[in-house]
Amino acid sequence: MEPHSTQRRARACKDCHQDPKVLGLGFGKITLREGRLLFEPLEAPFGETKIRLSQIVDPQGNTLVKFNRPNMRGFNRGELERVLKVGLCLNCHPPEHKIFLEWKGDFLCPQYPFLRSLFFSR
Ligand code: HEC
Ligand code: HEC
């Protein structure tokens, strides 16, 4: 058993680039609908609050919790969108594909030009 969260093997690309829990959005599902990335939470809010216990940011990139260190925060909206856009491409392109090495934010897929208009909404 390895009791620590550190280990020799790095996490796979998809573990970060496609996982809303890892990105701080909490348990849920991310889908692409009409050029928009949609996050659907799969956990009920806690008590009377709007906060889900597995969540630290909302899809607009607002940090919802207090951290115990100065300047610590969740990912902002731009960061979430950039990470998730890479996640989308990883569905078809293998991690070692040159697009990830030569990555530019406004990269388009010639096969799927609509992937240009990524937009995150709830
Ligand atoms: C531990 C989590 C994690 C893992 C594992 C990871 N990434 Fe990332 N990746 C990030 C974060 C965080 C960013 C920065 C997002 C930002 O601030 O723009 C990023 C950025 C990127 C970017 C640049 C995106 C942009 O628009 O600037 C590319 C391309 C990328 N990752 C590809 C990969 C590939 C390919 C792998 C696997 C070989 C991988 N990543 C593994 C977390 C991860
Ligand atoms: C639904 C599957 C799918 C998704 C998702 C996808 N692609 Fe593609 N992409 C393809 C296919 C199929 C090709 C043509 C075969 C190839 O070159 O691998 C291609 C080709 C490309 C090429 C040309 C590669 C070359 O060697 O000239 C680029 C660049 C590219 N994709 C970028 C992207 C980016 C960036 C994303 C994410 C925003 C993305 N793709 C998402 C299927 C996909």
Side-chain angles (χ1 to χ4, degrees), residues 85 88-89 92-93 97-99 103 107-112 115:
K85 181 174 178 182
L88 200 60
C89 316
C92 299
H93 296 288
H97 197 289
K98 64 175 195 281
I99 60 168
W103 184 264
F107 238 0
L108 293 181
C109 184
Q111 299 283 313
Y112 298 94
L115 293 179

Side-chain angles (χ1 to χ4, degrees), residues 54-107:
S54 65
Q55 178 184 33
I56 61 166
V57 289
D58 64 19
Q60 283 69 44
N62 303 304
T63 295
L64 304 173
V65 300
K66 288 208 169 74
F67 289 99
N68 62 357
R69 309 221 170 89
N71 301 325
M72 221 169 159
R73 59 166 178 81
F75 287 127
N76 64 34
R77 184 174 172 140
E79 290 160 347
L80 288 170
E81 283 179 355
R82 285 194 293 274
V83 172
L84 288 170
K85 181 174 178 182
V86 175
L88 200 60
C89 316
L90 283 167
N91 281 322
C92 299
H93 296 288
E96 59 280 0
H97 197 289
K98 64 175 195 281
I99 60 168
F100 299 112
L101 296 172
E102 299 161 6
W103 184 264
K104 292 188 197 76
D106 56 357
F107 238 0

Side-chain angles (χ1 to χ4, degrees), residues 28-63:
K29 205 170 66 174
I30 294 174
T31 45
L32 182 69
R33 227 173 278 169
E34 291 163 15
R36 288 173 161 234
L37 284 175
L38 197 74
F39 174 64
E40 296 165 79
L42 292 175
E43 186 191 353
F46 178 67
E48 301 293 299
T49 71
K50 287 189 178 150
I51 302 206
R52 297 169 172 85
L53 292 182
S54 65
Q55 178 184 33
I56 61 166
V57 289
D58 64 19
Q60 283 69 44
N62 303 304
T63 295

